[in-house]
Amino acid sequence: MNESDLEALPAGDPIDLLERPILSVADDRGVVAHLSLAGLLARIARGDDAELALLMPHQQHAMHAFVVQLMALVASRAPARDVPKDEEGWRVALRALAGCPEAFQLVVADLGKPAFMQPPVPEGSLDKFKDVPTPDALDMLVLAKNHDVKMARIQRPRIEHWVFALISLQTQQGFSGRDNYGVARMNGGFGNRPGFGVTPSLGWTPRVLRDLAVALRERDALLSDARPYSATGLGLVWLTPWDGTESLEMEALDPFFIEVCRRVRVLRLERGLTVGMTSTKVPRLSSKELLGNTGDLWTPVDVARGAALTLPSSGLHYARMAQLLFGGDWVRPPALTVQAADGSQPLVVARALVRGQGKTEGLHERVIMVPAASRDRFARAEGRKKLGDLSERRIEAARALRLKVLKPAVCALLQGGADDLRLDDDRGDWLLDDLDRLIDQDFFPRLFADVERDADDADVGYQQYLRTIGEATLERGIESLPTSASRRERAIAAAEARFAGGMRKNFPRAFEATSTPSHGEETQS
C-alpha cells in the first residue's frame, strides 16, 4: 500500500496537498510516480513529463486551467515573473500566496478556516450540509439514466479522485437547480466553460508551460481599465469566508483568480472521506452582467454580444470550428493565438463539456493540426481571412450536397421513383448525417492543403471530392434503405438520375479534370 492511499495516513491528518504524494503522475514511458501538488508543479516547471494518470477526460480542461492559473498567480508576484523549479520552493510560494497553511489542506476541522477549494464556514456548523459520499457524485456530470459514465461508481476512491472532483465542480460547474449557482467564467447557468488553445504538443507539461507564458504576457491587458481586476486582488477565492448570502465583486479579484462556486467541506469519517455541500442564496461572484466575458485565456467571445461562447449540443462540428478559428464574429482567446514556441506544426485543441437543463449533453473534444505550409497564414489575421472565406464556401457546398443533391435522391429511392417527390421524408436522414461525418473528418486537412493550391484547381478538386463521397453515400442507401420490390429498379434509376442532375446543376466542375491532385486524390476525368 503506498502513501497516497487514505488508509496510510494517521487519523486527524489534514492531508496537506503540498506535502502528501497523492497524485499519480506518469512520464512519457508510462512509469507512474506519486507526487504532491508542489511536486507536480516543480516537475512541470523543470519541463519534465507529467501526465495525471487518474484524471478523467471531462476534468482535463478544468485541471489544466487550475494549474496554469495557480502557476501564473505565483509567477506574477515573483520579482522576475519566474516560478520555482523545486518542490520546497513551491511549498513556500503557495503558502505565501495563500497566507495560511490550511488553504492547501484537504481536511480542516476548524470550520472558521479555509481548506483546499473550500471556503470557511462562518456559522461554524455543517448542520445544513448534505452528505456527498463519492467523488463522482460530487463532480459535475449529470446522467439521469446512468447510460454513459455510471454515477457514484467509485467504491474505494483515492484522495486524488476527491481533489480532481473538487476542482472540476468548483471551476466549471453551472446552475444545477434552485440556489445552486455556477461559475463566473460561463455565459449563463446552462452554459459551459470551453477550452480553446494552440499547443506544440498534447503532453501536459508543454501545454501548461506554453499557456503560462501566454498568461503572463496577457496580465497587463487584463489589468487595464477594460477589466475590473486588481493587481493585488484575491487569487484563491476559497480563502474568503462565505455564508451563502453575499457575492464577491469582481473588482476584488486578481485576473488569474481560481474560483469556487459551491459551499462544500471535506470530512474524514471511519468509512473514508466524504463531502458536505449546501446551497446558497447568491452566486459566489457578482458577474452576471459580464456574460462570462471575464478575460479567460481559453474562452472565445461573441463580438456582437460581448458574451462567452456557449457550445451547443452539436459540439465542435466543422462549420462551428471554422467560424471560431477563422471568422470575424468571434474574439479569439489569448491561448488560441499562435506563439513562436508552438513549432512548425501547431495543434489546435478544443474541449467543452456541454451542459443542458438537468442533463449533460456530451464531452466534445477536437484536435486539429495546422500544417507547416499554413502555419504563418493561420497566425495572421489576413491569412485567417483567406482560410475563413474558403471554409465558408466549402461549408455552403457541403450543405448543397446534402440538401439539394443527396436528399432528393434518397427520397426518390424511398418513394419508389414517384414523380411527386416528398422532401419531408426523414427515413434516410441518417445517410445525410453519415455524409456530414465524412466531410467533418476531412474538412480541415483538405482546407489547409487547398488554401495553398491554385484556387481554380482546388475548386475543381473539391467538387470532385464531393461527387465521390456523395456517390458512395447514395450507394450505401441503395444497399440498405427499404424499397418496394416491384418498384426497386425504378427507384434506383430515379435516385441515380436525381443525384446526377443535382450534381451537374450545383457542382458542374465535378466533371472536369484537375492538373494537380488535392489531399492525396488521383486526377479524375
Side-chain angles (χ1 to χ4, degrees):
M1 182 178 296
N2 62 59
E3 193 179 0
S4 64
D5 292 326
L6 182 64
E7 292 89 342
L9 303 180
D13 191 299
I15 313 179
D16 192 328
L17 302 185
L18 303 183
E19 299 282 352
R20 294 296 183 187
I22 58 94
L23 299 176
S24 303
V25 182
D27 62 17
D28 60 346
R29 297 169 298 165
V31 177
V32 176
H34 293 98
L35 304 178
S36 68
L37 177 59
L40 170 68
L41 298 179
R43 187 160 168 168
I44 291 172
R46 293 193 300 269
D48 298 334
D49 296 311
E51 303 295 322
L52 291 161
L54 298 188
L55 192 67
M56 295 182 66
H58 75 277
Q59 299 168 337
Q60 288 281 341
H61 178 59
M63 189 65 184
H64 174 79
F66 169 83
V67 170
V68 172
Q69 290 165 229
L70 191 59
M71 295 180 80
L73 284 168
V74 168
S76 63
R77 287 156 173 76
R81 286 194 168 184
D82 202 1
V83 293
K85 301 295 192 296
D86 63 290
E87 189 169 357
E88 181 59 28
W90 274 106
R91 292 190 188 104
V92 171
L94 289 175
R95 285 169 180 156
L97 175 69
C100 64
E102 293 85 2
F104 291 95
Q105 294 174 1
L106 195 60
V107 182
V108 176
D110 186 347
L111 300 181
K113 294 182 178 179
F116 180 70
M117 304 299 287
Q118 307 158 59
V121 182
E123 63 266 39
S125 170
L126 300 180
D127 289 346
K128 295 182 179 179
F129 285 60
K130 295 182 179 179
D131 182 46
V132 183
T134 65
D136 44 337
L138 175 69
D139 205 349
M140 61 178 294
L141 290 177
V142 180
L143 300 157
K145 294 184 180 180
N146 267 352
H147 285 328
D148 194 356
V149 180
K150 300 297 183 183
M151 294 181 290
R153 72 202 181 285
I154 304 178
Q155 298 304 309
R156 288 178 59 83
R158 300 170 69 91
I159 297 171
E160 62 191 305
H161 288 127
W162 287 104
V163 171
F164 298 150
L166 278 169
I167 293 171
S168 178
L169 170 81
Q170 297 285 43
T171 65
Q172 64 175 359
Q173 179 62 290
F175 179 79
S176 54
R178 181 179 176 182
D179 295 339
N180 289 286
Y181 297 94
V183 298
R185 293 183 173 99
M186 184 181 291
N187 177 19
F190 300 120
N192 38 70
R193 186 184 179 189
F196 281 71
V198 176
T199 178
S201 163
L202 295 179
W204 250 80
T205 292
R207 286 195 67 209
V208 168
L209 292 178
R210 186 262 185 201
D211 284 356
L212 172 61
V214 170
L216 294 176
R217 278 196 292 272
E218 285 295 308
R219 186 170 178 84
D220 289 344
L222 291 171
L223 288 169
S224 69
D225 292 341
R227 298 288 179 187
Y229 305 118
S230 166
T232 58
L234 180 65
L236 309 179
V237 175
W238 67 89
L239 296 177
T240 304
W242 188 25
D243 64 2
T245 66
E246 294 184 2
S247 300
L248 282 174
E249 297 299 326
M250 300 296 286
E251 288 80 1
L253 304 180
D254 185 281
F256 301 140
F257 69 94
I258 302 173
E259 65 185 306
V260 294
C261 65
R262 300 293 169 86
R263 296 185 73 204
V264 297
R265 204 72 185 191
V266 179
L267 304 172
R268 184 173 181 179
L269 308 177
E270 284 189 12
R271 69 176 188 269
L273 295 180
T274 188
V275 166
M277 182 162 60
T278 190
S279 59
T280 64
K281 295 301 181 184
V282 295
R284 187 63 186 113
L285 301 180
S286 180
S287 62
K288 185 177 180 180
E289 69 283 354
L290 294 178
L291 301 177
N293 182 7
T294 62
D296 184 58
L297 298 176
W298 302 275
T299 301
V301 173
D302 186 324
V303 171
R305 297 178 57 231
L309 168 70
T310 293
L311 200 68
S313 58
S314 56
L316 298 167
H317 183 268
Y318 64 90
R320 180 164 296 277
M321 283 297 296
Q323 292 171 352
L324 293 168
L325 295 181
F326 314 129
D329 294 335
W330 293 91
V331 178
R332 294 152 51 86
L336 196 53
T337 301
V338 176
Q339 309 291 325
D342 292 331
S344 62
Q345 294 185 336
L347 301 172
V348 174
V349 179
R351 288 192 176 105
L353 181 65
V354 177
R355 304 175 59 258
Q357 190 165 354
K359 58 184 176 180
T360 300
E361 295 185 336
L363 173 65
H364 298 272
E365 299 181 303
R366 187 154 196 162
V367 178
I368 299 169
M369 188 193 76
V370 180
S374 295
R375 181 197 186 281
D376 290 343
R377 188 186 298 279
F378 181 65
R380 302 192 313 270
E382 61 272 22
R384 290 194 300 274
K385 173 71 164 55
K386 186 171 182 179
L387 283 162
D389 291 343
L390 180 58
S391 68
E392 285 182 10
R393 295 195 297 273
R394 296 284 168 93
I395 291 164
E396 186 54 39
R399 177 178 171 81
L401 178 64
R402 292 194 305 272
L403 300 182
K404 296 180 180 181
V405 180
L406 189 59
K407 175 72 172 180
V410 170
C411 288
L413 179 67
L414 287 165
Q415 296 164 32
D419 294 330
D420 53 339
L421 203 63
R422 291 183 294 101
L423 293 178
D424 60 350
D425 190 338
D426 62 1
R427 291 176 292 166
D429 282 1
W430 61 270
L431 276 171
L432 307 184
D433 295 338
D434 277 357
L435 176 71
D436 205 49
R437 281 189 284 270
L438 285 173
I439 294 171
D440 200 329
Q441 291 170 8
D442 209 28
F443 185 84
F444 288 103
R446 185 173 294 275
L447 181 75
F448 283 121
D450 285 354
V451 78
E452 307 301 334
R453 296 177 66 204
D454 174 79
D456 195 61
D457 275 355
D459 184 48
V460 174
Y462 191 66
Q463 290 195 27
Q464 289 178 341
Y465 159 73
L466 294 180
R467 175 187 171 190
T468 299
I469 62 172
E471 287 173 342
T473 303
L474 179 59
E475 187 60 34
R476 285 200 302 277
I478 291 171
E479 293 172 356
S480 56
L481 288 175
T483 56
S484 168
S486 63
R487 297 175 64 88
R488 180 169 175 77
E489 295 304 320
R490 176 188 173 98
I492 293 173
E496 291 176 342
R498 291 271 186 179
F499 182 86
M503 283 299 305
R504 289 195 178 275
K505 180 179 180 180
N506 293 279
F507 303 104
R509 307 201 71 187
F511 302 90
E512 297 180 16
T514 54
S515 59
T516 55
S518 166
H519 197 56
E521 295 175 332
E522 296 295 330
T523 302
Q524 298 187 21
S525 60

